[in-house]
């Protein structure tokens, strides 16, 4: 298996022969705007587009490069359902699943309109979605029937189908009118358009947010704005919604196969796999397989899950070439709905809790946040408000989230097993090591040099864990991730891991 050296690379973000990737400057001055959008994934870019269409003076910043985080690592499927419609229906009832379907259908239309209006070359196309099971067991059949019922309750019209894969499904259904695209090329085209209308900055992290002052601090300058949109996947810094979300990683692989699936979205529910055929910007044809969801920070799980995904694909398809592997993050909300809208600070807006359905939720968020900022109030905004209180629907999620946080805040510190000795840390790997009487996060780079870091996540003080396939330090509590040498990769933390004195240093 070929893990790409840059683990933030999927088939969408592979080096493309096209020289038109926009590159944006780093912010090096203070700015004033109506709205500062923090985050250049699909959520931030579409929000900036809507706000600028509505006449707002917008500035957009991204800590890294446009869409190279979760958006560029996604499967590129756009569907009106969510991953688990029967669960949503059981929690919220038919009225809400119908509302969700309508909102998400609107989200897909938003993306389609942007594709047409800006002539974005991103392979957007309408396709069917297939949902099914491979194994013929009663409980699984019931699951398919329940899901089909929930789709009908939402106003969708599923019809029985055995899918369009080179292997037979035991039972399943299909829904027409869904869509697929290349999420990265979509965002690059959108960013290029935005860059001609508003200031856009890359490599410009928000290192602090002062809601009271209406100010976002970056290393090179401050942005003063009436409104701050945190389109950072999980809101950067502290936010109440973080106590309501479980954080997972999910694996993706891309392989060349002789027998690709029919065009469409293929969800195999008994193995929790998602499959699609795709053409990357390089022109290469791929099969993408996604699955192996596991909690962030569970050591070795990513490696195991990626290997399982690889074996799953090899057992079912004629694989003809290399396998490319990556992974991405998802935030699961306690009550099954995303958190979109104003936060405890009236001028700070958040969009999170998208699970693995966030390309469309991102488009919905862009619409709702723009409406909120321009003074339009809707039922949808109330339904998805981050300030909603839903104890009956959230209890289990809260219990699981907070048990995870307590386990890692307290448990990780009192574990007594022997930590790895520094000599056992291989080249290109990291481990938590007891050193000089304290636990340290040690990384040995490919040249053999040791890098010593504090293992304490600057967000809420949990201990990070080494994720070997992704070559990152991951925080199991709220999902912050750091490069081997400590730099922040992904929030909610806003700064990196503290560096400790190097070996033999003072
Ligand atoms: C394996 C996998 C497959 C998926 N496939 C699908 C799919 O097919 N369809 C679907 O609908 N959803 C899918 N999802 C979910 C989807 O990828 C995400 O929900 C979605 O991309 C979120 O977009 P976003 O713009 O909110 O976040 P991101 O794409 O993560 O963008 C956030 C941006 O904010 C920037 N940022 C973060 N912190 C800061 C800071 N402090 N300062 C400045 N910038 C900052 C980051 O650099 C990043 O560019 C999948 C998820 C996984 C895990």
């Amino acid at each position: 298996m070929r893990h790409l050296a840059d683990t933030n690379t999927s088939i969408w973000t592979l080096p493309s022969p096209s020289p038109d990737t926009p590159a944006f400057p780093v912010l090096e001055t203070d700015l004033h705007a109506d709205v500062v959008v923090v985050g250049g994934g699909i959520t931030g870019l579409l929000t900036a587009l809507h706000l600028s269409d509505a006449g707002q003076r917008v500035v957009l910043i991204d800590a890294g490069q446009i869409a190279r985080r979760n958006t560029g690592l996604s499967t590129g499927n756009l569907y009106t359902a969510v991953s688990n419609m029967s669960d949503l229906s059981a929690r919220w009832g038919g009225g809400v699943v119908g509302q969700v379907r309508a909102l998400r259908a609107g989200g897909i239309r938003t993306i389609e309109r942007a594709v047409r209006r800006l002539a974005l070359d991103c392979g957007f196309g309408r396709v069917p979605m297939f949902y099914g099971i491979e194994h013929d067991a009663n409980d699984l059949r019931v699951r398919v029937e329940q899901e089909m019922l929930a789709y009908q309750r939402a106003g969708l019209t599923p019809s029985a189908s055995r899918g369009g894969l080179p292997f037979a499904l035991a039972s399943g259904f299909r829904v027409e009118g869904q869509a697929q695209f290349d999420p990265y090329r979509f965002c690059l085209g959108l960013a290029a358009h935005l860059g001609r209308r508003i200031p856009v900055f890359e490599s410009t992290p928000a290192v602090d947010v002062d809601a009271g002052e209406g100010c976002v601090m970056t290393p090179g300058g401050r942005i003063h704005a009436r409104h701050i949109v945190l389109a950072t996947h999980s809101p950067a810094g502290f936010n109440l919604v973080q106590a309501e979300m479980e954080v997972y990683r999910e694996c993706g692989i891309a392989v060349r196969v002789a027998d690709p699936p029919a065009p469409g979205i293929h969800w195999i529910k008994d193995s929790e796999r998602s499959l699609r055929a795709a053409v990357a910007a390089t022109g290469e044809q791929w099969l993408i397989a996604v699955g192996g969801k596991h909690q962030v920070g569970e050591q070795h799980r990513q490696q195991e899950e990626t290997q399982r995904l690889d074996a799953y694909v090899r057992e079912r398809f004629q694989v003809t070439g290399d396998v490319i592997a990556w992974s991405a993050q998802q935030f699961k909300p306690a009550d099954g709905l995303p958190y979109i809208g104003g936060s405890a600070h009236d001028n700070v807006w958040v969009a999170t809790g998208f699970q693995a359905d966030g390309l469309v939720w991102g488009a919905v968020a862009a619409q709702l946040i723009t409406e909120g900022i321009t003074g339009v109030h809707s039922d949808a905004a109330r339904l998805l408000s981050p300030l909603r209180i839903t104890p009956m629907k959230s209890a289990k999620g809260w219990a699981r989230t907070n048990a995870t946080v307590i386990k890692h805040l307290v448990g990780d510190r009192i574990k007594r097993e022997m930590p790895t000795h520094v000599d056992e840390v291989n080249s290109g790997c990291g481990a938590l090591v007891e050193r000089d009487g304290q636990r340290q996060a040690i990384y040995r780079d490919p040249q053999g040099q040791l890098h010593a870091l504090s293992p304490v996540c600057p967000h809420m003080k949990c201990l990070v864990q080494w994720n070997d396939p992704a070559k990152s330090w991951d925080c199991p509590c709220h999902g912050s991730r750091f490069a081997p040498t400590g730099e922040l990769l992904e929030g909610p933390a806003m700064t990196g891991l503290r560096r400790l004195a190097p070996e033999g240093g003072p």
Side-chain angles (χ1 to χ4, degrees), residues 419-439:
T420 314
H421 188 272
V422 72
D423 293 344
E424 293 168 30
V425 181
N426 291 329
S427 162
C429 294
L432 294 192
V433 171
E434 198 77 35
R435 221 169 152 230
D436 302 333
Q438 56 172 323
R439 198 167 283 192

Side-chain angles (χ1 to χ4, degrees), residues 227-230 235 239-241 338-352 365 368-373 376-377 380-388:
H227 294 278
I228 298 165
V229 179
L230 297 177
N239 196 288
L240 289 177
V241 292
Y339 304 100
I340 297 172
S343 67
H345 298 285
D346 286 347
N347 57 339
V348 178
W349 302 77
V350 303
T352 189
L368 292 181
I369 290 174
T370 301
E371 287 178 0
I373 288 177
V376 178
H377 304 285
R382 274 185 288 279
L383 177 68
L384 303 182
S385 166
L387 301 176
R388 67 183 180 262

